[in-house]
Amino acid sequence: RGHSGRKQGAPELMKSVSTLSGNEVESQAFSMTQELSIHVKFETNLEPFSPVLGIVIKSNRGQPILGLNNRFAGTGPFPTRVSSGIVACDLGAVPLVPGTYRVDIYLGDEYRDFDVVTDAIEFSILPSDYYGTGKLAPAGTGSLRWNAEWKLLDGEPSEKER
């Protein structure tokens, strides 16, 4: 309520936002391999609606890294029209590098957003051995960690190796 990041004049439909681990424990700090879920509790005295939740995860410098919502992500709005509830976005194991992240939240229906709060919540990703090599990737090498498959397609051993 009264969040400084709320769009001026917007109805205050969102009552709380929380980040939860994969085992549904509320937390604001996660390891690099831990599952992350964002829950938004809402309530309205207006006409019931089919909720659409949008999230934008941003770096600590405000740069958007990931944005999605169930309006355009293929699931569409929920089939039930409600006046209150909790909308959850289960992100799975998010491959973010260690650091602090802020989240913008958008709540609306299939046509528009009613309530928008920038920097609604903050969470941290803690350093961990993401690749299982016993080494941490150096800082400053991007916002995401990705499991890739590496191949040497054409190479001849040097004379020294033969």
Side-chain angles (χ1 to χ4, degrees), residues 3-156:
H3 192 284
S4 63
R6 179 167 269 119
K7 186 176 176 182
Q8 191 169 5
E12 293 186 16
L13 304 183
M14 291 186 275
K15 305 304 178 189
S16 67
V17 178
S18 54
T19 49
L20 289 83
S21 65
N23 57 358
E24 298 298 312
V25 174
E26 192 169 334
S27 179
Q28 290 184 314
F30 302 85
S31 74
M32 292 177 70
T33 57
Q34 197 171 10
E35 293 185 356
L36 171 64
S37 181
I38 297 174
H39 290 205
V40 176
K41 183 178 181 179
F42 68 94
E43 184 178 346
T44 181
N45 295 329
L46 306 173
E47 186 175 324
F49 65 103
S50 180
V52 168
L53 178 64
I55 64 167
V56 176
I57 297 176
K58 303 181 302 185
S59 71
N60 63 350
R61 295 179 182 211
Q63 181 67 37
I65 296 170
L66 169 69
L68 53 101
N69 71 38
N70 57 309
R71 185 180 297 127
F72 65 76
T75 58
F78 297 102
T80 306
R81 298 175 67 78
V82 296
S83 296
S84 64
I86 297 173
V87 182
C89 179
D90 296 326
L91 296 165
V94 182
L96 296 169
V97 299
T100 301
Y101 297 88
R102 294 177 285 175
V103 183
D104 296 345
I105 304 289
Y106 300 77
L107 181 69
D109 64 12
E110 61 188 298
Y111 304 109
R112 66 189 185 282
D113 297 319
F114 303 132
D115 194 3
V116 176
V117 179
T118 58
D119 298 335
I121 197 165
E122 188 176 278
F123 67 90
S124 296
I125 300 294
L126 305 172
S128 62
D129 183 7
Y130 181 80
Y131 296 109
T133 61
K135 301 175 183 176
L136 297 178
T141 57
S143 299
L144 302 173
R145 291 291 169 249
W146 210 268
N147 283 322
E149 186 175 323
W150 300 91
K151 300 175 187 175
L152 177 61
L153 298 177
D154 190 16
E156 294 287 325

